[in-house]
Amino acid sequence: MNFCATDINMIKRSAIWVWVFLFVGGLASCNFFDRLPPAQQRAKRAADAQGDIVIGVVTSSNDPSFFREGVTLAVTDINQRGGVAGRKIRPVYLDDQGDTYRGQQVAKQLAANPEVIAVVGHLFSKVAIPVSIIYEQAGILFLSPGATDPNFTRYGGNYTFRNIPTGEEIGRQMAAFAARQKYQKIVVLYRRD
């Protein structure tokens, strides 16, 4: 059986199309095209979940506040009242030690846990700013009760919040108060960390 150049080219094109078909079919069977972005995957998993609501609580052993105790008290109170929508809150406690590198490792650990839907903590702006990007990409709600740097929320993330004014706003309010009181001299104590 003799093949001419046209026949060989046709066979090659047919073989290529078979491989393309098999490759695309293989990707489709792995749900490659149906994959949702990580944030949407986490939201769907959270909406479908039946068990405990898992939140990350990130403290800093370099800060002498009672943040961890306050969170524990609030979680205990909420759980004793039946939880949220009948589901208990289960905190995962971690310590970023007030260190940026350690904070990023903690954030990556929490982001890798598909059950975690929110994180409260990272008390220092120098840690909260870089970890906010990790949580944003993972679709994890992030609330920092201590990050006062305006850059923390300036980039406009959808999942990043603070419950404290920025340092700029605190300064403006202190100046306005001093002016209303007609103070001539004031001293501002500031902890730089």
Side-chain angles (χ1 to χ4, degrees):
M1 183 172 195
N2 291 335
F3 292 105
C4 68
T6 308
D7 293 334
I8 292 173
N9 286 336
M10 190 173 75
I11 292 169
K12 284 181 182 177
R13 279 194 300 263
S14 297
I16 289 171
W17 280 111
V18 168
W19 281 109
V20 168
F21 176 75
L22 291 173
F23 179 72
V24 171
L27 289 177
S29 69
C30 295
N31 293 326
F32 181 79
F33 297 111
D34 296 334
R35 296 205 73 182
L36 296 172
Q40 290 178 349
Q41 288 178 21
R42 190 174 300 273
K44 183 173 177 0
R45 196 170 21 253
D48 295 342
Q50 300 296 318
D52 293 342
I53 298 171
V54 181
I55 61 168
V57 180
V58 184
T59 63
S60 175
S61 55
N62 294 345
D63 184 49
S65 73
F66 295 102
F67 173 69
R68 180 181 173 128
E69 290 82 0
V71 170
T72 302
L73 183 64
V75 167
T76 301
D77 184 51
I78 291 168
N79 286 343
Q80 286 177 348
R81 295 172 189 251
V84 177
R87 296 171 60 194
K88 302 282 184 180
I89 297 175
R90 180 170 39 103
V92 175
Y93 292 99
L94 296 167
D95 182 359
D96 68 14
Q97 301 168 356
D99 178 72
T100 303
Y101 177 77
R102 174 73 182 134
Q104 289 173 327
Q105 297 308 309
V106 165
K108 288 175 185 175
Q109 180 182 346
L110 290 169
N113 182 344
E115 292 184 322
V116 174
I117 62 165
V119 173
V120 179
H122 297 288
L123 306 177
F124 301 111
S125 294
K126 69 178 185 176
V127 180
I129 291 171
V131 302
S132 69
I133 304 302
I134 295 169
Y135 295 132
E136 190 73 27
Q137 291 173 344
I140 296 175
L141 181 95
F142 174 39
L143 174 67
S144 175
T148 59
D149 189 312
N151 290 323
F152 175 61
T153 55
R154 189 168 281 156
Y155 72 92
N158 293 318
Y159 302 101
T160 304
F161 301 93
R162 72 170 95 235
N163 66 345
I164 186 172
T166 66
E168 290 175 352
E169 183 60 28
I170 292 169
R172 274 195 291 278
Q173 293 300 321
M174 289 170 55
F177 176 79
R180 283 194 307 274
Q181 299 300 317
K182 299 186 182 356
Y183 291 148
Q184 299 298 312
K185 295 180 182 181
I186 61 171
V187 174
V188 177
L189 300 176
Y190 176 72
R191 182 176 94 181
R192 177 175 263 170
D193 45 55

PDB file of all heavy atoms in Angstrom, residues 25-61:
ATOM      1  N   GLY A  25     -11.036  16.926  26.100  1.00  0.00           N
ATOM      2  CA  GLY A  25     -11.978  16.064  26.820  1.00  0.00           C
ATOM      3  C   GLY A  25     -11.463  15.686  28.192  1.00  0.00           C
ATOM      4  O   GLY A  25     -12.210  15.642  29.165  1.00  0.00           O
ATOM      5  N   GLY A  26     -10.164  15.431  28.275  1.00  0.00           N
ATOM      6  CA  GLY A  26      -9.566  15.105  29.575  1.00  0.00           C
ATOM      7  C   GLY A  26      -9.645  16.269  30.539  1.00  0.00           C
ATOM      8  O   GLY A  26      -9.955  16.108  31.724  1.00  0.00           O
ATOM      9  N   LEU A  27      -9.367  17.483  30.034  1.00  0.00           N
ATOM     10  CA  LEU A  27      -9.475  18.663  30.894  1.00  0.00           C
ATOM     11  C   LEU A  27     -10.906  18.871  31.365  1.00  0.00           C
ATOM     12  O   LEU A  27     -11.157  19.183  32.531  1.00  0.00           O
ATOM     13  CB  LEU A  27      -8.989  19.908  30.151  1.00  0.00           C
ATOM     14  CG  LEU A  27      -7.491  20.021  29.897  1.00  0.00           C
ATOM     15  CD1 LEU A  27      -7.202  21.282  29.096  1.00  0.00           C
ATOM     16  CD2 LEU A  27      -6.715  20.028  31.196  1.00  0.00           C
ATOM     17  N   ALA A  28     -11.847  18.711  30.456  1.00  0.00           N
ATOM     18  CA  ALA A  28     -13.253  18.899  30.804  1.00  0.00           C
ATOM     19  C   ALA A  28     -13.698  17.873  31.838  1.00  0.00           C
ATOM     20  O   ALA A  28     -14.474  18.186  32.747  1.00  0.00           O
ATOM     21  CB  ALA A  28     -14.122  18.812  29.559  1.00  0.00           C
ATOM     22  N   SER A  29     -13.209  16.658  31.724  1.00  0.00           N
ATOM     23  CA  SER A  29     -13.616  15.625  32.683  1.00  0.00           C
ATOM     24  C   SER A  29     -13.032  15.889  34.065  1.00  0.00           C
ATOM     25  O   SER A  29     -13.536  15.399  35.063  1.00  0.00           O
ATOM     26  CB  SER A  29     -13.194  14.236  32.202  1.00  0.00           C
ATOM     27  OG  SER A  29     -11.782  14.105  32.250  1.00  0.00           O
ATOM     28  N   CYS A  30     -11.978  16.697  34.150  1.00  0.00           N
ATOM     29  CA  CYS A  30     -11.379  17.059  35.440  1.00  0.00           C
ATOM     30  C   CYS A  30     -11.984  18.345  35.982  1.00  0.00           C
ATOM     31  O   CYS A  30     -11.453  18.955  36.903  1.00  0.00           O
ATOM     32  CB  CYS A  30      -9.872  17.246  35.288  1.00  0.00           C
ATOM     33  SG  CYS A  30      -8.996  15.753  34.842  1.00  0.00           S
ATOM     34  N   ASN A  31     -13.065  18.807  35.387  1.00  0.00           N
ATOM     35  CA  ASN A  31     -13.720  20.060  35.777  1.00  0.00           C
ATOM     36  C   ASN A  31     -12.800  21.258  35.638  1.00  0.00           C
ATOM     37  O   ASN A  31     -12.916  22.231  36.364  1.00  0.00           O
ATOM     38  CB  ASN A  31     -14.260  19.976  37.219  1.00  0.00           C
ATOM     39  CG  ASN A  31     -15.375  18.983  37.326  1.00  0.00           C
ATOM     40  OD1 ASN A  31     -16.148  18.825  36.392  1.00  0.00           O
ATOM     41  ND2 ASN A  31     -15.447  18.300  38.450  1.00  0.00           N
ATOM     42  N   PHE A  32     -11.838  21.188  34.723  1.00  0.00           N
ATOM     43  CA  PHE A  32     -10.899  22.285  34.527  1.00  0.00           C
ATOM     44  C   PHE A  32     -11.629  23.575  34.169  1.00  0.00           C
ATOM     45  O   PHE A  32     -11.296  24.637  34.643  1.00  0.00           O
ATOM     46  CB  PHE A  32      -9.891  21.913  33.441  1.00  0.00           C
ATOM     47  CG  PHE A  32      -8.860  22.953  33.169  1.00  0.00           C
ATOM     48  CD1 PHE A  32      -7.780  23.088  34.015  1.00  0.00           C
ATOM     49  CD2 PHE A  32      -8.980  23.809  32.077  1.00  0.00           C
ATOM     50  CE1 PHE A  32      -6.812  24.049  33.775  1.00  0.00           C
ATOM     51  CE2 PHE A  32      -8.019  24.768  31.838  1.00  0.00           C
ATOM     52  CZ  PHE A  32      -6.934  24.891  32.688  1.00  0.00           C
ATOM     53  N   PHE A  33     -12.643  23.473  33.320  1.00  0.00           N
ATOM     54  CA  PHE A  33     -13.348  24.663  32.866  1.00  0.00           C
ATOM     55  C   PHE A  33     -14.431  25.107  33.845  1.00  0.00           C
ATOM     56  O   PHE A  33     -14.925  26.211  33.751  1.00  0.00           O
ATOM     57  CB  PHE A  33     -13.953  24.420  31.483  1.00  0.00           C
ATOM     58  CG  PHE A  33     -12.922  24.162  30.424  1.00  0.00           C
ATOM     59  CD1 PHE A  33     -12.798  22.913  29.847  1.00  0.00           C
ATOM     60  CD2 PHE A  33     -12.065  25.169  30.019  1.00  0.00           C
ATOM     61  CE1 PHE A  33     -11.850  22.685  28.870  1.00  0.00           C
ATOM     62  CE2 PHE A  33     -11.116  24.941  29.048  1.00  0.00           C
ATOM     63  CZ  PHE A  33     -11.000  23.699  28.470  1.00  0.00           C
ATOM     64  N   ASP A  34     -14.822  24.244  34.750  1.00  0.00           N
ATOM     65  CA  ASP A  34     -15.885  24.567  35.693  1.00  0.00           C
ATOM     66  C   ASP A  34     -15.361  25.105  37.021  1.00  0.00           C
ATOM     67  O   ASP A  34     -16.139  25.371  37.920  1.00  0.00           O
ATOM     68  CB  ASP A  34     -16.741  23.319  35.968  1.00  0.00           C
ATOM     69  CG  ASP A  34     -17.460  22.852  34.719  1.00  0.00           C
ATOM     70  OD1 ASP A  34     -17.709  23.698  33.835  1.00  0.00           O
ATOM     71  OD2 ASP A  34     -17.750  21.650  34.622  1.00  0.00           O
ATOM     72  N   ARG A  35     -14.058  25.229  37.156  1.00  0.00           N
ATOM     73  CA  ARG A  35     -13.478  25.641  38.429  1.00  0.00           C
ATOM     74  C   ARG A  35     -13.823  27.089  38.739  1.00  0.00           C
ATOM     75  O   ARG A  35     -13.724  27.958  37.886  1.00  0.00           O
ATOM     76  CB  ARG A  35     -11.974  25.469  38.402  1.00  0.00           C
ATOM     77  CG  ARG A  35     -11.638  23.978  38.253  1.00  0.00           C
ATOM     78  CD  ARG A  35     -10.333  23.673  38.774  1.00  0.00           C
ATOM     79  NE  ARG A  35     -10.403  23.716  40.221  1.00  0.00           N
ATOM     80  CZ  ARG A  35      -9.370  23.511  40.978  1.00  0.00           C
ATOM     81  NH1 ARG A  35      -8.218  23.263  40.474  1.00  0.00           N
ATOM     82  NH2 ARG A  35      -9.478  23.557  42.284  1.00  0.00           N
ATOM     83  N   LEU A  36     -14.193  27.343  39.966  1.00  0.00           N
ATOM     84  CA  LEU A  36     -14.477  28.690  40.416  1.00  0.00           C
ATOM     85  C   LEU A  36     -13.211  29.292  41.012  1.00  0.00           C
ATOM     86  O   LEU A  36     -12.345  28.565  41.485  1.00  0.00           O
ATOM     87  CB  LEU A  36     -15.562  28.647  41.498  1.00  0.00           C
ATOM     88  CG  LEU A  36     -16.928  28.137  41.078  1.00  0.00           C
ATOM     89  CD1 LEU A  36     -17.820  27.965  42.294  1.00  0.00           C
ATOM     90  CD2 LEU A  36     -17.564  29.098  40.093  1.00  0.00           C
ATOM     91  N   PRO A  37     -13.115  30.618  41.039  1.00  0.00           N
ATOM     92  CA  PRO A  37     -11.994  31.254  41.727  1.00  0.00           C
ATOM     93  C   PRO A  37     -12.006  30.845  43.208  1.00  0.00           C
ATOM     94  O   PRO A  37     -13.072  30.518  43.761  1.00  0.00           O
ATOM     95  CB  PRO A  37     -12.270  32.747  41.570  1.00  0.00           C
ATOM     96  CG  PRO A  37     -13.181  32.847  40.392  1.00  0.00           C
ATOM     97  CD  PRO A  37     -13.988  31.576  40.389  1.00  0.00           C
ATOM     98  N   PRO A  38     -10.835  30.872  43.873  1.00  0.00           N
ATOM     99  CA  PRO A  38     -10.760  30.421  45.270  1.00  0.00           C
ATOM    100  C   PRO A  38     -11.776  31.098  46.201  1.00  0.00           C
ATOM    101  O   PRO A  38     -12.363  30.442  47.053  1.00  0.00           O
ATOM    102  CB  PRO A  38      -9.327  30.769  45.675  1.00  0.00           C
ATOM    103  CG  PRO A  38      -8.566  30.776  44.405  1.00  0.00           C
ATOM    104  CD  PRO A  38      -9.535  31.249  43.351  1.00  0.00           C
ATOM    105  N   ALA A  39     -11.994  32.392  46.021  1.00  0.00           N
ATOM    106  CA  ALA A  39     -12.948  33.097  46.887  1.00  0.00           C
ATOM    107  C   ALA A  39     -14.359  32.538  46.727  1.00  0.00           C
ATOM    108  O   ALA A  39     -15.079  32.342  47.710  1.00  0.00           O
ATOM    109  CB  ALA A  39     -12.935  34.592  46.583  1.00  0.00           C
ATOM    110  N   GLN A  40     -14.759  32.260  45.485  1.00  0.00           N
ATOM    111  CA  GLN A  40     -16.090  31.717  45.243  1.00  0.00           C
ATOM    112  C   GLN A  40     -16.191  30.269  45.716  1.00  0.00           C
ATOM    113  O   GLN A  40     -17.240  29.848  46.206  1.00  0.00           O
ATOM    114  CB  GLN A  40     -16.455  31.824  43.768  1.00  0.00           C
ATOM    115  CG  GLN A  40     -16.684  33.248  43.326  1.00  0.00           C
ATOM    116  CD  GLN A  40     -16.991  33.355  41.845  1.00  0.00           C
ATOM    117  OE1 GLN A  40     -16.841  32.407  41.091  1.00  0.00           O
ATOM    118  NE2 GLN A  40     -17.413  34.538  41.419  1.00  0.00           N
ATOM    119  N   GLN A  41     -15.117  29.509  45.589  1.00  0.00           N
ATOM    120  CA  GLN A  41     -15.110  28.134  46.094  1.00  0.00           C
ATOM    121  C   GLN A  41     -15.323  28.136  47.608  1.00  0.00           C
ATOM    122  O   GLN A  41     -16.116  27.355  48.130  1.00  0.00           O
ATOM    123  CB  GLN A  41     -13.778  27.450  45.771  1.00  0.00           C
ATOM    124  CG  GLN A  41     -13.586  27.110  44.320  1.00  0.00           C
ATOM    125  CD  GLN A  41     -12.226  26.493  44.065  1.00  0.00           C
ATOM    126  OE1 GLN A  41     -11.581  25.979  44.965  1.00  0.00           O
ATOM    127  NE2 GLN A  41     -11.780  26.548  42.822  1.00  0.00           N
ATOM    128  N   ARG A  42     -14.604  29.042  48.309  1.00  0.00           N
ATOM    129  CA  ARG A  42     -14.728  29.107  49.764  1.00  0.00           C
ATOM    130  C   ARG A  42     -16.136  29.545  50.172  1.00  0.00           C
ATOM    131  O   ARG A  42     -16.728  29.007  51.097  1.00  0.00           O
ATOM    132  CB  ARG A  42     -13.693  30.055  50.351  1.00  0.00           C
ATOM    133  CG  ARG A  42     -13.605  29.980  51.871  1.00  0.00           C
ATOM    134  CD  ARG A  42     -12.471  30.822  52.407  1.00  0.00           C
ATOM    135  NE  ARG A  42     -11.191  30.423  51.910  1.00  0.00           N
ATOM    136  CZ  ARG A  42     -10.408  29.488  52.454  1.00  0.00           C
ATOM    137  NH1 ARG A  42     -10.809  28.867  53.543  1.00  0.00           N
ATOM    138  NH2 ARG A  42      -9.244  29.198  51.938  1.00  0.00           N
ATOM    139  N   ALA A  43     -16.703  30.511  49.453  1.00  0.00           N
ATOM    140  CA  ALA A  43     -18.057  30.983  49.757  1.00  0.00           C
ATOM    141  C   ALA A  43     -19.083  29.874  49.545  1.00  0.00           C
ATOM    142  O   ALA A  43     -19.990  29.697  50.361  1.00  0.00           O
ATOM    143  CB  ALA A  43     -18.393  32.195  48.903  1.00  0.00           C
ATOM    144  N   LYS A  44     -18.928  29.117  48.476  1.00  0.00           N
ATOM    145  CA  LYS A  44     -19.853  28.010  48.206  1.00  0.00           C
ATOM    146  C   LYS A  44     -19.737  26.943  49.282  1.00  0.00           C
ATOM    147  O   LYS A  44     -20.737  26.448  49.790  1.00  0.00           O
ATOM    148  CB  LYS A  44     -19.566  27.409  46.829  1.00  0.00           C
ATOM    149  CG  LYS A  44     -20.523  26.297  46.444  1.00  0.00           C
ATOM    150  CD  LYS A  44     -20.302  25.850  45.021  1.00  0.00           C
ATOM    151  CE  LYS A  44     -21.161  24.711  44.565  1.00  0.00           C
ATOM    152  NZ  LYS A  44     -22.103  24.121  45.445  1.00  0.00           N
ATOM    153  N   ARG A  45     -18.502  26.603  49.660  1.00  0.00           N
ATOM    154  CA  ARG A  45     -18.281  25.599  50.695  1.00  0.00           C
ATOM    155  C   ARG A  45     -18.877  26.068  52.031  1.00  0.00           C
ATOM    156  O   ARG A  45     -19.503  25.301  52.747  1.00  0.00           O
ATOM    157  CB  ARG A  45     -16.781  25.328  50.834  1.00  0.00           C
ATOM    158  CG  ARG A  45     -16.445  24.079  51.562  1.00  0.00           C
ATOM    159  CD  ARG A  45     -14.982  23.659  51.499  1.00  0.00           C
ATOM    160  NE  ARG A  45     -14.022  24.686  51.180  1.00  0.00           N
ATOM    161  CZ  ARG A  45     -13.372  24.819  50.012  1.00  0.00           C
ATOM    162  NH1 ARG A  45     -13.568  24.004  49.056  1.00  0.00           N
ATOM    163  NH2 ARG A  45     -12.516  25.777  49.817  1.00  0.00           N
ATOM    164  N   ALA A  46     -18.712  27.354  52.341  1.00  0.00           N
ATOM    165  CA  ALA A  46     -19.251  27.892  53.596  1.00  0.00           C
ATOM    166  C   ALA A  46     -20.776  27.865  53.590  1.00  0.00           C
ATOM    167  O   ALA A  46     -21.411  27.544  54.606  1.00  0.00           O
ATOM    168  CB  ALA A  46     -18.748  29.314  53.814  1.00  0.00           C
ATOM    169  N   ALA A  47     -21.382  28.190  52.456  1.00  0.00           N
ATOM    170  CA  ALA A  47     -22.843  28.198  52.357  1.00  0.00           C
ATOM    171  C   ALA A  47     -23.421  26.787  52.474  1.00  0.00           C
ATOM    172  O   ALA A  47     -24.501  26.595  53.029  1.00  0.00           O
ATOM    173  CB  ALA A  47     -23.274  28.826  51.039  1.00  0.00           C
ATOM    174  N   ASP A  48     -22.685  25.795  51.959  1.00  0.00           N
ATOM    175  CA  ASP A  48     -23.159  24.414  51.985  1.00  0.00           C
ATOM    176  C   ASP A  48     -22.809  23.674  53.278  1.00  0.00           C
ATOM    177  O   ASP A  48     -23.321  22.586  53.513  1.00  0.00           O
ATOM    178  CB  ASP A  48     -22.564  23.628  50.802  1.00  0.00           C
ATOM    179  CG  ASP A  48     -23.043  24.157  49.459  1.00  0.00           C
ATOM    180  OD1 ASP A  48     -24.066  24.870  49.439  1.00  0.00           O
ATOM    181  OD2 ASP A  48     -22.381  23.871  48.442  1.00  0.00           O
ATOM    182  N   ALA A  49     -21.943  24.263  54.097  1.00  0.00           N
ATOM    183  CA  ALA A  49     -21.441  23.577  55.301  1.00  0.00           C
ATOM    184  C   ALA A  49     -22.545  23.382  56.336  1.00  0.00           C
ATOM    185  O   ALA A  49     -23.488  24.165  56.421  1.00  0.00           O
ATOM    186  CB  ALA A  49     -20.286  24.356  55.908  1.00  0.00           C
ATOM    187  N   GLN A  50     -22.401  22.333  57.120  1.00  0.00           N
ATOM    188  CA  GLN A  50     -23.376  22.017  58.161  1.00  0.00           C
ATOM    189  C   GLN A  50     -22.771  22.067  59.564  1.00  0.00           C
ATOM    190  O   GLN A  50     -23.479  22.221  60.525  1.00  0.00           O
ATOM    191  CB  GLN A  50     -23.949  20.611  57.918  1.00  0.00           C
ATOM    192  CG  GLN A  50     -24.664  20.461  56.586  1.00  0.00           C
ATOM    193  CD  GLN A  50     -25.893  21.330  56.478  1.00  0.00           C
ATOM    194  OE1 GLN A  50     -26.658  21.450  57.427  1.00  0.00           O
ATOM    195  NE2 GLN A  50     -26.079  21.955  55.334  1.00  0.00           N
ATOM    196  N   GLY A  51     -21.471  21.915  59.678  1.00  0.00           N
ATOM    197  CA  GLY A  51     -20.826  21.819  60.984  1.00  0.00           C
ATOM    198  C   GLY A  51     -20.518  23.171  61.592  1.00  0.00           C
ATOM    199  O   GLY A  51     -21.188  24.176  61.339  1.00  0.00           O
ATOM    200  N   ASP A  52     -19.469  23.189  62.392  1.00  0.00           N
ATOM    201  CA  ASP A  52     -19.054  24.412  63.070  1.00  0.00           C
ATOM    202  C   ASP A  52     -18.595  25.479  62.079  1.00  0.00           C
ATOM    203  O   ASP A  52     -18.125  25.168  60.982  1.00  0.00           O
ATOM    204  CB  ASP A  52     -17.894  24.120  64.028  1.00  0.00           C
ATOM    205  CG  ASP A  52     -18.293  23.235  65.199  1.00  0.00           C
ATOM    206  OD1 ASP A  52     -19.507  23.122  65.465  1.00  0.00           O
ATOM    207  OD2 ASP A  52     -17.393  22.669  65.837  1.00  0.00           O
ATOM    208  N   ILE A  53     -18.715  26.725  62.509  1.00  0.00           N
ATOM    209  CA  ILE A  53     -18.176  27.852  61.764  1.00  0.00           C
ATOM    210  C   ILE A  53     -16.755  28.046  62.261  1.00  0.00           C
ATOM    211  O   ILE A  53     -16.538  28.341  63.437  1.00  0.00           O
ATOM    212  CB  ILE A  53     -19.013  29.124  61.995  1.00  0.00           C
ATOM    213  CG1 ILE A  53     -20.444  28.911  61.507  1.00  0.00           C
ATOM    214  CG2 ILE A  53     -18.360  30.325  61.329  1.00  0.00           C
ATOM    215  CD1 ILE A  53     -21.399  30.023  61.894  1.00  0.00           C
ATOM    216  N   VAL A  54     -15.787  27.863  61.386  1.00  0.00           N
ATOM    217  CA  VAL A  54     -14.381  27.919  61.788  1.00  0.00           C
ATOM    218  C   VAL A  54     -13.806  29.294  61.464  1.00  0.00           C
ATOM    219  O   VAL A  54     -13.874  29.753  60.326  1.00  0.00           O
ATOM    220  CB  VAL A  54     -13.558  26.821  61.078  1.00  0.00           C
ATOM    221  CG1 VAL A  54     -12.106  26.870  61.511  1.00  0.00           C
ATOM    222  CG2 VAL A  54     -14.160  25.451  61.356  1.00  0.00           C
ATOM    223  N   ILE A  55     -13.252  29.941  62.495  1.00  0.00           N
ATOM    224  CA  ILE A  55     -12.606  31.240  62.302  1.00  0.00           C
ATOM    225  C   ILE A  55     -11.183  31.170  62.849  1.00  0.00           C
ATOM    226  O   ILE A  55     -10.920  30.512  63.848  1.00  0.00           O
ATOM    227  CB  ILE A  55     -13.372  32.397  62.974  1.00  0.00           C
ATOM    228  CG1 ILE A  55     -13.457  32.203  64.486  1.00  0.00           C
ATOM    229  CG2 ILE A  55     -14.753  32.562  62.384  1.00  0.00           C
ATOM    230  CD1 ILE A  55     -13.931  33.422  65.242  1.00  0.00           C
ATOM    231  N   GLY A  56     -10.279  31.841  62.166  1.00  0.00           N
ATOM    232  CA  GLY A  56      -8.918  31.970  62.657  1.00  0.00           C
ATOM    233  C   GLY A  56      -8.851  33.149  63.610  1.00  0.00           C
ATOM    234  O   GLY A  56      -9.447  34.198  63.346  1.00  0.00           O
ATOM    235  N   VAL A  57      -8.156  32.968  64.715  1.00  0.00           N
ATOM    236  CA  VAL A  57      -7.938  34.042  65.675  1.00  0.00           C
ATOM    237  C   VAL A  57      -6.428  34.169  65.836  1.00  0.00           C
ATOM    238  O   VAL A  57      -5.781  33.262  66.364  1.00  0.00           O
ATOM    239  CB  VAL A  57      -8.609  33.752  67.034  1.00  0.00           C
ATOM    240  CG1 VAL A  57      -8.353  34.891  68.019  1.00  0.00           C
ATOM    241  CG2 VAL A  57     -10.104  33.511  66.856  1.00  0.00           C
ATOM    242  N   VAL A  58      -5.879  35.275  65.346  1.00  0.00           N
ATOM    243  CA  VAL A  58      -4.430  35.439  65.349  1.00  0.00           C
ATOM    244  C   VAL A  58      -4.045  36.501  66.359  1.00  0.00           C
ATOM    245  O   VAL A  58      -4.365  37.678  66.202  1.00  0.00           O
ATOM    246  CB  VAL A  58      -3.896  35.797  63.951  1.00  0.00           C
ATOM    247  CG1 VAL A  58      -2.373  35.869  63.976  1.00  0.00           C
ATOM    248  CG2 VAL A  58      -4.369  34.787  62.922  1.00  0.00           C
ATOM    249  N   THR A  59      -3.385  36.044  67.404  1.00  0.00           N
ATOM    250  CA  THR A  59      -2.907  36.942  68.450  1.00  0.00           C
ATOM    251  C   THR A  59      -1.439  37.252  68.206  1.00  0.00           C
ATOM    252  O   THR A  59      -0.831  36.750  67.270  1.00  0.00           O
ATOM    253  CB  THR A  59      -3.073  36.287  69.834  1.00  0.00           C
ATOM    254  OG1 THR A  59      -2.254  35.108  69.879  1.00  0.00           O
ATOM    255  CG2 THR A  59      -4.508  35.914  70.103  1.00  0.00           C
ATOM    256  N   SER A  60      -0.882  38.063  69.074  1.00  0.00           N
ATOM    257  CA  SER A  60       0.540  38.359  69.025  1.00  0.00           C
ATOM    258  C   SER A  60       1.084  38.271  70.435  1.00  0.00           C
ATOM    259  O   SER A  60       0.667  39.029  71.310  1.00  0.00           O
ATOM    260  CB  SER A  60       0.788  39.749  68.448  1.00  0.00           C
ATOM    261  OG  SER A  60       2.163  40.042  68.514  1.00  0.00           O
ATOM    262  N   SER A  61       2.000  37.342  70.651  1.00  0.00           N
ATOM    263  CA  SER A  61       2.580  37.195  71.986  1.00  0.00           C
ATOM    264  C   SER A  61       3.417  38.413  72.354  1.00  0.00           C
ATOM    265  O   SER A  61       3.778  38.587  73.513  1.00  0.00           O
ATOM    266  CB  SER A  61       3.427  35.919  72.064  1.00  0.00           C
ATOM    267  OG  SER A  61       4.405  35.911  71.046  1.00  0.00           O
TER     268      SER A  61
END
